[in-house]
Every structure is written in C-alpha cells, then in structure tokens.
C-alpha cells in the first residue's frame, strides 16, 4: 500500500495541513546568520554557490539532511550542460524584514574581458532579471522578475529550471496532475529534434503540480506553478550523461513581474535531526599511531552518549575493549563534533566503534596495516590503467586498447580551446598549424576523467613517484610494461620495478615532446567536444592514423569516421613558471632513473637544466623548488648559490618553500642559510598549530567548492619532509592526520576512503574514464568531500561530480601513496 505523508493527504482533501498537524507544526523558514532560509529539516539557499556547470548554483534545497535539488535559475536550454551559457550572478540581497532573499542575474556576463570568458557560447541575447525566494506556509516561493519581456525569438526557449539529484530518485515515484510514474535509472525515449536541431527527450510529464517521491517522507516535495502555465519534468540525460532530472517552466510571452511564480513544499520531517556519524580510517591504524575517531552530530543534539571500541573476536562476536565519553570539540561548518581517543589500544586485530546506533566499518590495528592492499593499488592498477599510447590488459579485461598513435597535430593559432588551452598568434615552433608533430606518440598518462595530457600533470607525477622511490626504496613488481610492443599487463610481474617503469613512462612524453618541438608542450588534447567527452575505450577517440590533408578523402570525413582529422592537438605557450615546475619534476626523475634507463635519465636532467637557463620568470620564488631538485641531482654550485642568495625570500615564504629546501640543509654549508630557514620553520610550526585548532581533524582544512583531498595530500607530503628535515620542530602527526582524512576521517555522512578499492568502504562510483559504468579504478583517489556553500559538506555516491570524485594525474593518487609509505616507514622505525 502506498504510504502518503499526512500533509499531502490533507492537502489533497482540501483541509488545512497546518491546523491538522497540530502538535507537529514547526517554525517556518527564517533567514539565518549565513543568509539562507532555514528551519528544522529544511534549508533553502540562493546564489551561495557559483558552479552551475557542476550542479551547484541558483536556488538549492537541503531536505532532511539530503541535497535534493539545485540550480534553480533561468536557463536558455531545457537541460543545459557544462559548456552552455550561464548568467552573471550579482550580489545576494537579504531583506530580513520581508524575510526575502534575492539576487540579480544577467545574460551574458557583462565582464566580457575577464580571463577565461568565452563569448562564443553566448547567443545574441541580453536580458537581466531578479530571482527571489521567501517563506510561504510550510514551504517557500520562487519568484522571477524580468527587467523587460523576452524578445519574440526567445519565447519558448528561456525557462526556469530546477534540477533534482537522480542518485536518490531512481525507482521512486512521482505524480504530475493526472500523470504518474517512476524515475528511471537510464535515459529512455522517445526523443525529438528541436528547432535548433538539438536532440531532446520528450518530457516525462506535463502539468501544474509535481509531487516527488510521495512514498518517502525524507524526500517528498511538491512543486506548483502558481501562474497556471505549466511545469515539465524532463530527464536531463538526453544530451549529457551527467544530467539530472529537470523541473522546468517556460517564461511566458510578454512577462516581466512575476514571470515565474512557484510554490515549493519540501516535507521537513517533524523533529528531524542529523544522525551521529563516526569517522575513522577505513584501513586502520598502527599500534603506535594516534587513534582518534571524530564524531559528527547535529548542533541541536544534546545527547551525551558514550563511544565504545569493540574488537572483533577470532571466535565470533564483539569484545568490548574501551568505553568512554568522547571529548567535546565544538562546532565546525554546520555540525557539532566530539573526539574519541583510543590511542592506548595496541593489541592487533580487527575493530569497530559504536556511538548510539551508529557502527563504523571494521578496521585494523596492526604493525603491518600499511604493508598490503593500501598503497599498492595506485601503482599496480590506477597508474597502468591511465597509461596513454599503450594497450592495457587485465586478465580477461582490456581497460583500453592501443591509443593515440596519431599524436599530434599542431594546434591552430589564436585558439581558445573549450578546456582552457590557449594557443597564441604563433605556434612557437617550426611546425605550422595542423601539421603533424612526430615522436609525440609515446609515454604519458591520461588525465584521469579526461584523455588529455597536461605537461604539469606529467611532471608532478614523475616528481612524486621519484621522491617516493628515493625516500622509501620502493621495489615492487606486479605489472608487465613493454615499451617496444606498447602493451601493459596488470597482475603479471616482469622482473622490473613498477615504480621505475611508471617514472620512465611519464618522462618519455615530456622528453619526446621537447625533442620534437624544441620546447615544452602545454598540452595534448582532443580537438572536438564529442571526442573530449568520450566515455569508453580511449582507442576509439581517434582512427590511430596520422591525418594528411593532401591525401585525405574528399570531402574530408567527420570526426568519428576513418580518415578524419581526429588527431589530438598539441598546444604550446610561453610560461616560465610552468617550465620551472617541469624542470623540478625532470630533475627528480633523473635521479630515480639512473641505473635503470641511463639515457633517459641523462636527457631528463639535460632538459631540466635547459629549462632552468631559459626561463624568464617574474617571480624568483618559482626557482626555489627546481633549484633544490637540480642541486640534489647535480651538486652543482650554481644551484646552491642561488638558494643561499634567496635565504630571506625563502624564509618569508617558508610555508611554500620549507619542505623543499629542508633536504638541502645538510649539503649547503652556509650558517645564515641554515639558521634563518630553521627559525622560519619554527614560526611556521606555530602558524600550523593555530590552524590545526580550527577543525576537529587535527590539521589545517579550509574547504572550498572543490573537494579538499588533493590539497590535503600535498600538505601531508610537505609535512613529511618538514618532519624529516626538522624532527625537533615538526612532529609526524600532521602528515598522519592528512592520510587519515583521505582514508575516511573527513566531514559528512559518507565516510568512504577517497582511495577507490582501499579499506572497508571506499569510492566505488568515481569520476574516472569508466564513470559511465558507475564504476571505479582501484587506486584512483578522488577529490573528496566538497563544500555546498556556505556550510554543507557533501560526498555523493554519484560518478559524475568531478569536484567530489574525480581522479587526477599530477600526484592526486601518488601523493596518497607517498603518505602511506611514509606512515609505514615512520611508525615501524626502531624506537630510540
């Protein structure tokens, strides 16, 4: 029998829901100090987020702890995607007397000269409007006022869209007036071509009143068009695999004031509170490691419950090991936090923590905890799967076939590529636009969810891999890499060190590009959006044959057909800062490759030195990291002299430089250099200590719109080197806290490890190149918990949100691997 929430049933009978609910009636929505509408179980934001391309913007709703809808705004398409026009968002205005929040929007962005603005996507349309939200009964109104009526040719095209998150709706029901159905898991037809020849899907339903998920109290919501001119419920995946369900009303002809007028009634469950969540490492802890579970609760939850650590018994069942009242930490973001310290427990075994009704996944306490199944997936699966210009086999599976053998054609001049690459008025090489650049079809990794190759990503990847090899003596072989046959076999050892094979593969693309171009490439990327958005085998992006205009078929085939000009473009640039970054990576790689591939090691170092000599940077601080790496690689006096000459600047910017230059202190015999840097490091430690106190996670953490995982991993790596170089100043704790953050000790109800396939619970729907299968790549590390502004941490189980679950090259996964190796080394070293 269908369960209908009481407020819907009463509304259907024409009774007063407020009166009938009686004692269950709650306070209505009110504007809080963070400038959004709030009541128990319901938050309504307007223009807090600025990222509509990734489903964060406009009007958004958090209902009973779930973000159920977003991007309430006027759009020019029924189901817009990433590269389609968005309005310029003005200042949010808050009228506390009227309890109304409003924001002015404009099409197109009036600041057309700002960096990154792409006028090509904006049609010849200029209009402005105001979106307003205000409480109404148990819900709220959305009202849109236009400055002037739409031009005739845009009537029927511009509408108010509101996006519903699909991941919690699949299989749930909806009613739209007399129509009803379920939200389908995949896109279903029928479809049609609109007046602009774009494919659209026929609306799932049309009407004036939509009821979403009436069988589920936590998600039930009604949306009513008070103008009486209709709503459409549209599946947003007709053009974009990552689309959400869209509720849409067209702006009527001639309308200005109250052009859109919706009443939205999300069911806020009476007495709803955020249920406590216990955040622990999904892998576990070393016996000597600090072990603190972070408990996240509703700010209004006044219960004081004990936390209990249980050991999973070898004979079955759970053994209570420790029970204590957790230490109260305080408020952070929208939650209240406690800390349960069980550092005293060292007995090996499997454990879990209970707090109230919440029970964590099982985790280890063991001296061997980091030695297997933790860092290895990065090296034995993720990095091999990302290898470009290779066929990647995995027993019965082929991750992708031999790809991009037709790399690369020189990018056209004066080009602003849709993914941010810019080619100026010259190619900066001997090659003409469209001309094939030879010897660029070897080495490199695809850039995670995309198939392009960014030079800074390749350089940072080989740098962190080289540092891991140097610091921890990684000697692991579970993969076959054949650079002659261009085949990689997972889970098939070949007698060669996997980490050196990966460093070699990354160096090959940078060195090969430098040989061919006489300079660094900026990036190698697909020329068309259809290629760029490919979900599937990388080998199908191009026809693998070098395009030759003189012998091409006539007419030239479209991309996707044999003989087409589908070769990836190579971009170049003048960027001294990037040249120096790459120099640092090549210098580190050259040290690791000595004795393994001496010729490549020699060439990598030579190019690093050339980049050092040719760079004409504006900011000399950009030279500090490459100077340190080059000095460690060569011991040449000129690099040491440069570092000594920069003592004051290094000291003033010790938060950025200390970890890099600390490794040079034992080698550079200059008293001022050593003393000033050591003093600056002490000052930095005081700053880090203060920042650490701002969060319950034991380290600096200032979440932005993107997940903070990558930055925290980089911070952790830097903390390792600070601890190693200045052990009397910096403890290892901050590095270990950074690792634990990635492994599950982070904000939000989703306590998954960001490292896919690692730990009891991990990201298994991630933004990798196989996201279309709602799958993951073992060892890939996602960006992690993102901030839904201003205060809601979120990590959805959904593969299409790059700002939460995307893997990246450039150290995203390898920084995590470094942290685990560092933890194993430090915690297992002999006690003094």
């Amino acid at each position: 029998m269908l369960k209908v929430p009481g407020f819907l049933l009463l509304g259907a009978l024409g009774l007063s829901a407020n009166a009938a609910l009686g004692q269950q009636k709650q306070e209505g929505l009110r504007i809080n100090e963070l400038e959004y509408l709030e009541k128990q179980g319901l938050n309504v934001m307007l223009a807090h987020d600025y990222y509509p391309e990734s489903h964060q913007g406009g009007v958004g709703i958090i209902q009973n702890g779930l973000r159920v809808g977003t991007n309430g705004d006027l759009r020019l398409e029924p189901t817009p995607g990433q590269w389609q026009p968005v309005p310029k968002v003005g200042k949010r205005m808050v009228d506390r007397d009227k309890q109304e929040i409003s924001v002015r929007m404009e099409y197109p962005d009036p600041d057309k000269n700002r960096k990154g603005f792409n006028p090509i996507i904006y049609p010849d349309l200029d209009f402005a409007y105001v979106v307003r939200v205000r409480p109404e009964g148990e819900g709220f109104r959305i009202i849109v006022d236009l400055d002037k009526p739409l031009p005739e040719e845009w009537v029927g095209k511009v509408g108010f869209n509101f996006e519903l998150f699909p991941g919690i709706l699949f299989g749930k029901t909806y009613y739209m007036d007399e129509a009803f159905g379920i939200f389908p898991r995949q896109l279903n037809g029928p479809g049609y071509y609109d007046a602009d020849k774009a494919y659209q899907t026929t609306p799932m339903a049309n009407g004036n009143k939509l009821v979403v998920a009436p069988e589920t109290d936590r998600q039930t919501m009604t949306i009513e068009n008070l103008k009486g001119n209709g709503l459409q419920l549209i599946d947003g995946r007709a053009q974009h695999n990552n689309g959400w369900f869209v509720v849409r009303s067209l702006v009527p002809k001639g309308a200005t004031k109250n052009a859109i007028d919706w009443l939205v009634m999300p069911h806020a469950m009476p007495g709803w509170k955020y249920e406590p969540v216990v955040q622990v490492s999904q892998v576990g802890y070393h016996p000597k490691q600090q072990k603190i579970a972070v408990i996240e609760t509703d700010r209004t939850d006044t219960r004081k419950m004990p936390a209990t650590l249980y050991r999973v018994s070898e004979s079955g069942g759970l053994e209570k090991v420790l029970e204590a009242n957790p230490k109260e930490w305080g408020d952070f973001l929208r939650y209240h936090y406690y800390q349960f310290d069980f550092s005293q427990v060292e007995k090996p075994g499997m454990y879990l923590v209970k707090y109230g009704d919440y029970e964590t996944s099982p985790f280890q306490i063991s001296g061997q905890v980091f030695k297997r199944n933790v860092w290895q997936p990065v090296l034995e699966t993720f990095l091999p799967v990302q290898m470009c210009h290779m066929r990647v086999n995995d027993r019965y599976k082929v991750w992708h076939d031999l790809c991009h053998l037709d790399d690369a054609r020189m990018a056209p001049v004066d080009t602003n590529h849709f993914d941010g690459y810019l080619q100026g008025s010259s190619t900066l090489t001997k090659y003409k636009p469209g001309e094939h650049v030879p010897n660029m079809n070897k080495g490199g990794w695809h850039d995670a969810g995309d198939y392009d190759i960014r030079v800074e990503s390749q350089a940072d990847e080989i740098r962190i891999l080289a540092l891991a090899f140097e610091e921890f003596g990684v000697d692991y072989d579970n993969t076959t890499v054949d650079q002659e046959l261009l085949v990689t076999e997972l889970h098939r050892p070949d007698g060669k060190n996997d980490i050196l094979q990966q460093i070699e593969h990354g160096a090959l693309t940078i060195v090969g590009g430098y040989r061919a171009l006489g300079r660094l490439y900026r990036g190698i990327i697909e020329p068309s959006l259809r290629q760029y958005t490919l979900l599937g085998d990388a080998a199908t992006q191009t026809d693998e044959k070098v395009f030759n205009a003189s012998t091409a078929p006539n007419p030239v085939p479209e991309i996707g057909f044999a003989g087409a000009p589908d070769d990836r473009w190579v971009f170049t640039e003048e960027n001294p800062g990037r040249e120096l970054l790459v120099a640092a990576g090549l210098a580190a790689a050259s040290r690791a490759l000595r004795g393994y591939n001496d010729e490549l090691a020699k060439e990598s170092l030579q190019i690093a030195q050339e980049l050092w000599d040719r760079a004409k940077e504006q900011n000399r601080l950009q030279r500090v990291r490459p100077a340190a790496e080059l000095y460690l690689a060569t011991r040449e006096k000129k690099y040491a002299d440069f570092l000594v000459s920069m003592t004051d600047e290094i000291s003033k910017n010790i938060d950025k430089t200390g970890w890099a230059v600390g490794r040079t202190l034992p080698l550079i015999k200059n008293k001022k250099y050593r003393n000033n840097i050591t003093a600056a490091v002490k000052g930095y430690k005081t700053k880090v200590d203060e920042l650490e106190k701002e969060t319950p996670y034991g380290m600096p953490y200032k979440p932005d719109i993107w997940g903070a995982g990558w930055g925290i991993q980089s911070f952790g790596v830097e903390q390792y080197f600070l601890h190693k170089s200045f052990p009397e100043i910096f403890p290892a704790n901050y590095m270990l806290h950074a690792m634990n953050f990635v492994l599950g000790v982070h904000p939000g109800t989703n306590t998954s490890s960001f490292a896919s396939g690692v730990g009891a619970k991990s990201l298994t729907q991630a933004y990798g190149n196989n996201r279309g299968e709602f799958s993951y790549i073992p060892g890939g590390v996602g960006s992690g918990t993102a901030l839904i502004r201003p205060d809601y941490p979120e990590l959805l189980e959904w593969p299409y949100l790059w700002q939460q679950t995307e893997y990246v090259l450039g150290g995203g996964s390898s920084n995590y691997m470094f942290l685990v190796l560092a933890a194993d080394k430090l915690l297992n070293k002999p006690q003094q």
Side-chain angles (χ1 to χ4, degrees):
M1 182 176 181
L2 182 66
K3 180 182 177 184
V4 180
F7 81 101
L8 283 178
L9 181 60
L10 292 166
L13 296 173
L15 301 176
S16 167
N18 287 345
L21 285 173
Q23 294 180 345
Q24 293 188 1
K25 181 179 178 181
Q26 304 185 64
E27 289 282 334
L29 286 163
R30 301 289 293 176
I31 299 174
N32 66 13
E33 69 279 5
L34 295 178
E35 299 186 347
Y36 62 81
L37 295 174
E38 180 179 35
K39 73 174 183 178
Q40 191 171 31
L42 181 62
N43 312 135
V44 180
M45 284 82 169
L46 172 60
H48 278 84
D49 278 324
Y50 52 85
Y51 206 13
E53 299 94 328
S54 197
H55 309 282
Q56 286 179 242
V59 179
I61 299 175
I62 297 172
Q63 178 186 13
N64 303 312
L66 298 172
R67 186 167 69 111
V68 297
T70 188
N71 275 3
D73 201 357
L74 290 189
R75 299 302 296 268
L76 310 186
E77 303 87 6
T79 58
Q82 182 178 353
W83 291 277
Q84 288 166 292
V86 295
K88 170 70 174 179
V89 180
K91 182 180 179 181
R92 184 173 55 256
M93 306 299 293
V94 176
D95 188 329
R96 294 187 182 275
D97 293 332
K98 292 183 179 180
Q99 285 295 297
E100 182 174 274
I101 305 171
S102 62
V103 64
R104 184 175 177 80
M105 313 276 205
E106 293 180 74
Y107 276 101
D109 186 334
D111 186 10
K112 298 179 182 180
N113 295 318
R114 66 178 171 82
K115 182 178 180 182
F117 179 76
N118 187 353
I120 298 173
I121 66 171
Y122 285 89
D124 185 17
L125 173 67
D126 289 284
F127 75 101
Y129 56 98
V130 174
V131 179
R132 298 183 279 141
V133 295
R134 66 169 185 247
E136 179 110 354
E138 295 296 308
F140 66 99
R141 293 267 291 278
I142 302 175
I143 301 168
V144 181
D145 302 322
L146 275 65
D147 285 6
K148 57 185 180 182
L150 288 175
E152 181 71 28
E153 63 271 23
W154 283 93
V155 174
K157 293 183 178 181
V158 177
F160 187 85
N161 288 13
F162 184 66
E163 300 178 359
L164 305 176
F165 173 54
I168 55 174
L169 287 177
F170 294 148
K172 302 286 176 63
T173 65
Y174 65 85
Y175 282 87
M176 176 84 87
D177 295 355
E178 302 302 317
F180 48 84
I182 65 167
F183 290 94
R185 181 164 291 275
Q186 71 286 324
L187 174 71
N188 298 319
Y192 65 96
Y193 291 99
D194 63 18
D196 297 319
K197 308 301 182 184
Y199 177 79
Q200 307 289 352
T201 187
T202 302
M204 297 162 58
N206 295 279
N208 274 312
K209 186 173 183 179
L210 171 68
V211 184
V212 178
E215 74 277 22
T216 307
D217 279 3
R218 191 176 181 186
Q219 293 175 238
T220 303
M221 175 169 56
T222 66
I223 301 174
E224 183 177 3
N225 186 339
L226 298 180
K227 301 285 287 188
N229 59 339
L231 298 170
Q232 293 180 320
L233 177 62
I234 307 172
D235 191 324
R237 296 170 290 182
Q239 298 179 41
H240 316 285
N241 293 62
N242 61 355
W244 292 19
F245 295 112
V246 176
V247 186
R248 178 171 169 86
S249 282
L250 292 171
V251 174
K253 180 178 180 179
T256 53
K257 190 75 172 176
N258 287 14
I260 299 293
D261 193 352
W262 284 8
L263 176 63
V264 184
M265 301 280 285
H267 177 44
M269 298 170 66
W272 180 87
K273 290 184 187 294
Y274 180 76
E275 290 297 322
V277 174
V278 182
Q279 297 152 356
V280 296
S281 167
Q282 294 293 324
V283 166
Y285 304 86
H286 190 280
K288 302 300 181 185
Q289 186 179 353
Q290 186 183 47
K291 311 174 193 72
I292 296 179
V294 176
I295 302 171
E296 186 177 80
T297 69
D298 194 291
R299 285 195 180 191
T300 66
D301 190 342
T302 58
R303 294 175 294 173
K304 306 290 185 182
M305 297 183 289
T308 308
L309 177 72
Y310 291 92
R311 187 177 184 274
V312 181
S313 173
E314 292 90 335
S315 57
L318 301 176
E319 302 170 349
K320 183 186 291 188
V321 176
L322 178 66
E323 184 171 276
N325 291 321
K327 175 185 175 182
E328 188 167 8
W329 186 89
D331 294 339
F332 178 63
L333 298 176
R334 64 169 48 203
Y335 301 121
H336 192 73
Y337 288 87
Y338 300 85
Q339 294 175 330
F340 174 46
D341 191 335
F342 55 100
S343 301
Q344 68 195 66
V345 179
E346 297 188 3
K347 182 179 178 180
M350 300 299 300
Y351 291 80
L352 55 85
V353 174
K354 287 187 178 182
Y355 181 78
D357 294 331
Y358 190 93
E359 180 179 299
T360 69
S361 301
F363 56 86
Q364 291 188 48
I365 295 179
S366 169
Q368 307 298 305
V369 63
F370 303 123
K371 292 193 178 295
R372 188 172 181 183
N373 304 325
V374 187
W375 60 266
Q376 291 87 348
V378 177
L379 188 57
E380 67 183 11
T381 304
F382 177 70
L383 286 173
V385 168
Q386 297 301 129
M387 294 171 80
C388 188
H389 307 121
M390 300 286 279
R391 176 184 170 101
V392 183
N393 299 325
D394 182 0
R395 295 156 295 168
Y396 296 173
K397 179 183 179 70
V398 178
W399 283 93
H400 66 78
D401 206 349
L402 187 57
C403 63
H404 301 114
L405 294 183
D406 43 8
D407 278 342
R409 295 179 78 204
M410 195 68 234
V413 296
D414 300 317
T415 297
N416 183 350
H417 189 271
F418 50 79
D419 199 37
Y421 293 96
L422 296 171
Q423 189 66 47
S425 58
S426 167
T427 68
L428 305 176
T429 72
K430 65 182 180 182
Y431 298 100
K432 298 176 182 178
E435 189 175 353
H436 177 69
V437 181
N439 303 317
M440 299 201 68
N441 57 356
K442 194 158 189 175
W445 301 277
H446 299 133
D447 191 17
D450 309 326
Y451 286 114
D452 58 320
I453 296 180
R454 296 173 180 266
V455 74
E456 70 271 30
S457 298
Q458 310 300 307
D460 261 353
E461 192 67 39
I462 62 176
R463 176 188 60 83
I464 193 64
L465 290 174
L467 295 181
F469 174 73
E470 285 184 331
E471 290 294 319
F472 313 120
V474 179
D475 189 4
Y476 189 79
D477 176 23
N478 202 37
T479 309
T480 293
V481 178
D482 191 323
Q483 291 289 354
E484 296 300 319
L485 296 178
L486 303 180
V487 174
T488 294
E489 297 276 357
L490 276 60
H491 304 292
R492 295 293 183 268
D494 62 357
K496 298 178 182 178
N497 191 338
D498 289 349
I499 199 167
L500 293 178
Q501 289 179 305
Q502 291 299 324
I503 295 169
E504 176 185 54
H505 195 71
L508 283 172
T509 182
I510 302 173
V511 170
Y514 193 88
R515 281 187 198 139
L517 297 164
R519 63 184 308 112
L520 295 177
Y521 61 77
R522 166 67 186 94
I524 307 170
I525 192 167
E526 303 77 23
S528 76
L529 192 58
R530 179 68 184 269
Q531 288 174 279
Y532 178 82
T533 57
L534 173 75
L535 296 180
D537 191 336
T540 65
Q541 265 199 333
T542 73
D543 61 10
E544 310 302 330
K545 297 177 182 178
V546 173
F547 178 75
N548 187 333
S550 65
T551 60
N554 188 13
V556 175
E558 295 182 16
I559 294 212
F561 295 90
D566 56 10
D567 316 27
R568 291 192 296 187
W569 286 348
V570 55
F571 285 77
T572 58
E573 65 175 353
E574 293 284 8
N575 190 322
R578 204 165 344 253
E579 289 176 336
L580 291 168
L581 182 150
V582 174
L586 288 173
S590 73
R591 300 194 302 266
L593 289 171
R594 289 172 189 162
Y596 177 76
N597 186 333
D598 288 324
E599 184 60 32
L600 186 58
K602 179 181 177 182
E603 203 162 359
S604 296
L605 182 56
Q606 179 183 336
I607 293 171
Q609 292 174 306
E610 289 181 15
L611 291 171
W612 170 272
D613 291 336
R614 73 184 288 171
K616 302 291 189 295
E617 80 291 338
Q618 300 267 325
N619 181 358
R620 282 166 59 82
L621 274 174
Q622 293 176 325
R623 284 190 179 270
V624 171
R625 188 192 299 181
E629 298 296 352
L630 282 163
Y631 180 65
L632 293 171
T634 65
R635 301 296 197 271
E636 288 187 19
K637 186 174 181 294
K638 71 175 182 178
Y639 303 118
D641 288 346
F642 172 80
L643 289 169
V644 170
S645 75
M646 289 286 290
T647 298
D648 291 341
E649 289 86 347
I650 289 170
S651 300
K652 290 175 185 175
N653 297 274
I654 201 67
D655 57 329
K656 301 179 181 68
T657 60
W659 72 271
V661 300
R663 293 176 293 149
T664 69
L665 291 186
L667 303 173
I668 297 177
K669 308 301 182 183
N670 182 286
K671 192 172 181 179
K672 179 186 175 184
Y673 182 69
R674 167 176 286 279
N675 291 345
N676 285 21
I677 289 173
T678 302
V681 167
K682 289 179 180 178
Y684 177 47
K685 169 61 163 53
T686 301
K687 178 181 176 181
V688 173
D689 287 343
E690 289 302 312
L691 290 171
E692 178 265 342
K693 296 174 184 176
E694 295 180 3
T695 81
Y697 297 99
M699 62 177 180
Y701 169 49
K702 293 186 180 297
D704 198 359
I705 199 162
W706 280 71
W710 305 328
I712 284 172
Q713 289 162 202
S714 295
F715 169 79
V717 171
E718 293 171 6
Q719 287 296 308
Y720 167 80
F721 283 112
L722 286 167
H723 171 67
K724 180 185 178 185
S725 300
F726 309 97
E728 71 286 356
I729 301 174
F730 268 92
N733 276 357
Y734 293 133
M735 182 209 79
L736 296 172
H737 294 332
M739 178 187 68
N740 286 341
F741 189 96
V742 175
L743 288 173
V745 190
H746 51 248
T749 186
N750 188 344
T751 60
S752 294
S753 158
F754 299 163
S756 290
V758 174
K761 182 182 178 186
S762 70
L763 287 182
T764 53
Q765 293 186 32
Y767 195 92
N769 54 49
N770 59 342
R771 58 190 177 275
E773 284 70 58
F774 283 66
S775 189
Y776 68 101
I777 303 172
V781 178
S783 36
T785 307
L787 180 69
I788 307 303
R789 290 173 179 266
D791 64 348
Y792 179 73
E794 180 181 77
L795 181 59
L796 291 174
E797 292 187 27
W798 184 248
Y800 289 113
L801 286 179
W802 53 85
Q803 77 274 31
Q804 295 187 23
T805 65
E806 185 178 11
Y807 308 136
V808 292
L809 266 292
S813 295
S814 297
N815 275 331
Y816 154 77
M817 179 174 75
F818 185 102
L819 291 178
V820 177
L821 288 163
D824 186 53
K825 176 182 177 179
L826 293 176
L827 293 167
N828 283 311
K829 70 181 180 182
Q831 299 298 309
Q832 299 297 320

